[in-house]
């Protein structure tokens, strides 16, 4: 059946399409990775092959096959397949699609599959417009998103769909995709030679994103050079790969024996020229954002400066708001270091002000210094625990009165209050008197940590009080 993904349209566009588009899998067998969700015997594969698919939301990083799977379904389903843009489509467009789907179903007994890429970009009203149509199966929804749908998609729509998570592609998956593109006629058709080191560089730079890997391969092919133009290092790189093939242990590897040795060569240098920066996934509002900041905080708490700086670098490279990072460090200084090292709060505050004043790129130095300081500082969560326990008592305990001797004296009748003992008049600087309200005792909230300044001062206070009591 003809639809927006007809083979005729694909053929017309293939001559000018990017490599990533030309190499898009056409069948389930060509799809690389995601065996847990689309492999033989899975619910999703069985539903697709039987053409009985119900509404699904595909969730996962970019370049893992979500849109590709939707296009494969479009090719093999007997249902009418249509697509609505999550960016430009409005509620009126959805209503039109639903009306057409309803007519198709009632007049022709023909199902409609609606594909919405980046469905999290739909407004709440747009998502709500789909609810009844999905619930009544007037249409089958395939939504794709790089954001966690449980945060970004209407919960009512999620309850009417099945959420399927796609994982980042493995290094082996990316290598398989690159080698296929190198060999197949719709790809580079064996017009280039590719060293093992270049493949490894593409895999690393892609960050598990197949689209990024193919784009890097295509750009690297544009700067590939003839064998005689290679540097000494590139010739050594090429020779190492040829030796492996000639030895027979990589006969199905990156080098194809039928390729003439005069063909252009894609080396690591060409790859780096084409894509100098690694495309590690980082979504500033999604799961990766929360996972990385969680790892950052836990690394500082675990006193691992290397890990703390690594996760900091992931956030910096991903374009995270530096003030967000600085705020987390500032919170950490009290939450996890506390009075084991009171200086930590000052360092964190200084880093925040520096970040606020300087901004990227220089403020990464301030953030690095603060993160390393927090990781190396002695740790105590006694301040965190103390305020937590005190708030619990205030919220759930009885109303406790301020002891009379602690009350403000600027009121009538204050002369009847018990006398307040002024600690500075005592040589020890401390007097034994009640400060907590009745019903609470010393140690109810604050339990000093065993490290750093807090432990030292707690022991000193204890010794001073014992000495004063003996006197």
């Amino acid at each position: 059946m003809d639809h927006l993904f007809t083979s005729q349209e694909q053929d017309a566009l293939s001559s000018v399409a990017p490599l990533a588009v030309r190499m898009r899998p056409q069948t389930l067998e060509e799809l690389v990775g995601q065996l847990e969700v689309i492999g033989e015997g899975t619910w999703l594969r069985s539903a697709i092959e039987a053409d009985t698919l119900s509404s699904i939301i595909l969730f996962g990083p970019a370049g893992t096959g979500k849109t590709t799977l939707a296009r494969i379904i479009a090719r093999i389903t007997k249902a009418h397949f249509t697509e609505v843009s999550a960016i430009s489509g409005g509620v009126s467009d959805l209503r039109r699609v639903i009306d057409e789907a309803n007519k198709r179903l009632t007049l022709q007994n023909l199902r409609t599959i609606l594909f919405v890429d980046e469905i999290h970009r739909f407004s709440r009203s747009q998502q709500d417009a789909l609810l009844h149509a999905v619930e009544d199966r007037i249409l089958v929804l395939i939504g794709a998103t790089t954001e966690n749908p449980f945060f970004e998609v209407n919960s009512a729509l999620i309850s009417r769909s099945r959420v399927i998570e796609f994982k980042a592609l493995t290094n082996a998956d990316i290598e398989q995709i690159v080698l296929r593109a190198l060999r197949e006629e719709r790809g580079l058709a064996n017009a280039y030679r590719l060293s093992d080191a270049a493949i490894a560089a593409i895999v690393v730079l892609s960050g598990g994103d197949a689209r990024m890997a193919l784009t890097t391969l295509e750009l690297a092919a544009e700067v590939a050079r003839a064998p005689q133009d290679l540097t000494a290092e590139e010739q050594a790189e090429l020779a190492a790969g040829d030796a492996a093939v000639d030895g027979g242990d990589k006969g199905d590897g990156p080098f194809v024996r039928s390729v003439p040795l005069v063909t252009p060569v894609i080396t690591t240098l060409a790859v780096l020229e084409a894509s100098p920066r690694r495309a590690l996934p980082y979504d500033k509002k999604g799961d990766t954002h929360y996972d990385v900041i969680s790892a950052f905080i836990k690394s500082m708490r675990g006193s691992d400066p290397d890990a703390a700086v690594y996760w900091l670098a992931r956030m910096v490279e991903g374009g995270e708001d530096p003030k967000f990072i600085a705020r987390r460090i500032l919170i950490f200084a009290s939450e996890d270091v506390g009075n084991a090292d009171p200086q930590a709060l000052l360092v964190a505050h200084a880093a925040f002000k520096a970040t606020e004043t300087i901004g990227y790129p220089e403020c990464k130095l301030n953030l690095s210094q603060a993160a390393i300081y927090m990781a190396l500082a002695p740790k105590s969560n006694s301040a965190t625990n103390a305020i937590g326990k005190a708030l619990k008592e205030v919220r759930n305990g009885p109303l406790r009165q301020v002891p009379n001797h602690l009350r403000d004296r600027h009121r009538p009748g204050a002369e009847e209050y018990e006398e307040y003992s002024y600690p500075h008049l005592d040589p020890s600087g401390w007097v034994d008197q009640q400060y907590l309200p009745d019903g609470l005792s010393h140690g109810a909230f604050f339990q000093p940590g065993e490290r750093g300044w807090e432990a030292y001062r707690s022991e000193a206070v204890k010794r001073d009080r014992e000495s004063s009591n003996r006197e």
Side-chain angles (χ1 to χ4, degrees), residues 302-437:
S303 300
D304 190 331
D306 292 300
V309 170
Y310 172 80
W311 296 118
L312 172 62
R314 282 285 297 272
M315 290 187 286
V316 170
E317 188 70 7
E320 181 60 79
D321 181 357
K323 288 187 288 187
F324 169 79
I325 303 172
R327 279 194 297 270
R328 296 308 308 175
I329 295 175
L330 190 56
I331 295 168
F332 181 92
S334 291
E335 182 178 18
D336 288 286
V337 177
N339 289 317
D341 182 357
Q343 189 76 14
L345 185 59
L346 302 180
V347 171
H349 183 262
F352 180 84
K353 295 304 292 183
T355 296
E356 194 173 44
T357 304
I358 299 172
Y360 280 144
E362 290 85 356
C363 74
K364 67 179 182 290
L365 305 176
N366 309 111
L367 294 172
S368 177
Q369 179 184 352
I372 292 172
Y373 190 101
M374 300 304 147
L376 295 177
K379 306 298 189 296
S380 172
N381 67 346
S382 60
T384 302
N385 292 338
I387 188 61
K389 292 177 182 178
L391 285 171
K392 183 177 180 181
E393 166 61 31
V394 168
R395 291 164 180 165
N396 303 318
L399 176 62
R400 302 184 189 275
Q401 299 299 324
V402 177
N404 281 347
H405 63 284
L406 300 182
R407 299 178 70 180
D408 178 63
R409 302 275 169 167
H410 298 88
R411 59 161 61 94
E415 63 275 4
E416 302 295 329
Y417 296 163
E418 297 176 17
E419 189 65 28
Y420 166 70
S421 298
Y422 190 56
H424 291 295
L425 296 179
D426 191 279
S428 68
W430 175 82
V431 293
D432 186 7
Q433 66 181 334
Q434 179 183 355
Y435 293 99
L436 282 165

